[in-house]
Amino acid sequence: MILELDCGNTFIKWRLLGVSAAVTVGGVVDSDHALIEVVREQAVQLRACRLVSVRSDEETSQLISLLERAFTVACHVACPAVSLAGVRNGYEQYERLGLDRWLAVVGAYQLSRKAGLIIDLGTAVTSDFVAVDGGHLGGFICPGVPLMRTQLRTHTRRTRYDSDEAAKALENLMPGRATAEAVERGCLLMLRGFVDGQYAMAAELLGDDVEVFLTGGDALLVMDVIPGARVVPDLVFIGLAIACPIN
């Protein structure tokens, strides 16, 4: 089996690929050691590992060492590139474009071969614009709902509520009559407004025939904002497979 990893600053997304690249199991963990344990629990034989990391070089090297010792497996690591699979990196310093963003863009272009808007809705929210010829035009980065919520809780002393209140607050988007409702609905409306604005910009820059891809943990919260948007949770992994092919 092949172990695939998307290593963020806080969490590690993982999955195992079996015969014909079929996903057998996967999940999210919050530490390197938790990853080792959960993969061991699967009791499978790994033949390779490929990963993308936005962590520091030192942190990434430490994880690779753990994996190689634990499973006696070679790790293939995605690297920055000027171009890949028909997509041209749009950053002036191509190596500064986040690898998770880059692979999501590559993955989306392979799925559509059309002009595209790719929005990743996680702790942070990123958007990227790709022309029909594969030219990456750049994009935007802004706080996602988790960051907005944390900042409000950190910097406003009376903004305190628990996860149950937060979940209940999103039952509708009427003006909030309690702190949890006001914060949660306000953050979601900001997120939805950003997505709507990005779609309008994509139409202006790329024309009306734009394929919109949504990925990340909060994608389902905004999927109705853009009719026809494709929710693809494994978009980064699709790009990772292109960047790090394993025979």
Side-chain angles (χ1 to χ4, degrees):
M1 286 193 164
I2 297 173
L3 174 63
E4 293 188 324
L5 304 174
D6 177 4
C7 307
N9 291 303
T10 305
F11 298 105
I12 301 173
K13 299 175 186 176
W14 66 276
R15 71 180 193 178
L16 289 169
L17 300 185
V19 179
S20 301
V23 179
T24 60
V25 67
V28 178
V29 293
D30 60 3
S31 72
D32 295 358
H33 291 287
L35 172 67
I36 300 299
E37 289 306 312
V38 75
V39 174
R40 277 179 173 155
E41 289 171 2
Q42 308 310 311
V44 297
Q45 181 65 43
L46 297 181
R47 65 183 182 91
C49 170
R50 57 186 168 211
L51 65 89
V52 55
S53 175
V54 297
R55 299 173 166 193
S56 69
D57 291 342
E58 181 181 358
E59 290 172 318
T60 302
S61 295
Q62 288 174 352
L63 175 58
I64 290 171
S65 295
L66 278 175
L67 290 164
E68 290 178 341
R69 288 200 305 269
F71 304 111
T72 317
V73 66
C75 292
H76 304 259
V77 184
C79 298
V82 174
S83 63
L84 178 64
V87 182
R88 301 185 305 281
N89 194 315
Y91 263 32
E92 294 177 359
Q93 296 177 288
Y94 74 92
E95 68 276 6
R96 299 296 299 273
L97 176 62
L99 278 169
D100 52 348
R101 285 176 63 193
W102 172 237
L103 294 184
V105 167
V106 170
Y109 189 70
Q110 296 311 302
L111 290 177
S112 70
R113 291 288 175 175
K114 295 170 58 177
L117 167 64
I118 300 94
I119 304 179
D120 189 339
L121 301 113
T123 302
V125 174
T126 64
S127 65
D128 287 280
F129 300 80
V130 183
V132 67
D133 66 355
H136 174 232
L137 306 183
F140 299 94
I141 304 173
C142 67
V145 169
L147 278 179
M148 288 190 280
R149 180 191 297 126
T150 298
Q151 287 299 303
L152 282 168
R153 287 177 170 177
T154 300
H155 296 288
T156 51
R157 295 179 181 177
R158 294 183 181 273
T159 306
R160 299 287 187 273
Y161 53 89
D162 60 31
S163 56
D164 289 338
E165 290 177 285
K168 188 176 181 180
L170 293 180
E171 291 176 353
N172 63 70
L173 288 177
M174 294 297 290
R177 301 185 68 178
T179 298
E181 294 176 352
V183 171
E184 294 296 319
R185 294 173 190 176
C187 290
L188 179 54
L189 286 171
M190 289 190 71
L191 186 68
R192 292 169 67 88
F194 175 79
V195 169
D196 188 48
Q198 295 300 284
Y199 185 47
M201 183 176 290
E204 182 179 339
L205 292 174
L206 302 170
D208 294 331
D209 189 23
V210 176
E211 189 89 36
V212 180
F213 291 88
L214 304 176
T215 191
D218 285 337
L220 295 180
L221 295 177
V222 301
M223 61 181 296
D224 62 314
V225 174
I226 304 177
R230 296 173 64 176
V231 178
V232 186
D234 59 352
L235 200 52
V236 172
F237 284 133
I238 293 172
L240 178 60
I242 296 168
C244 300
I246 297 172
N247 296 324

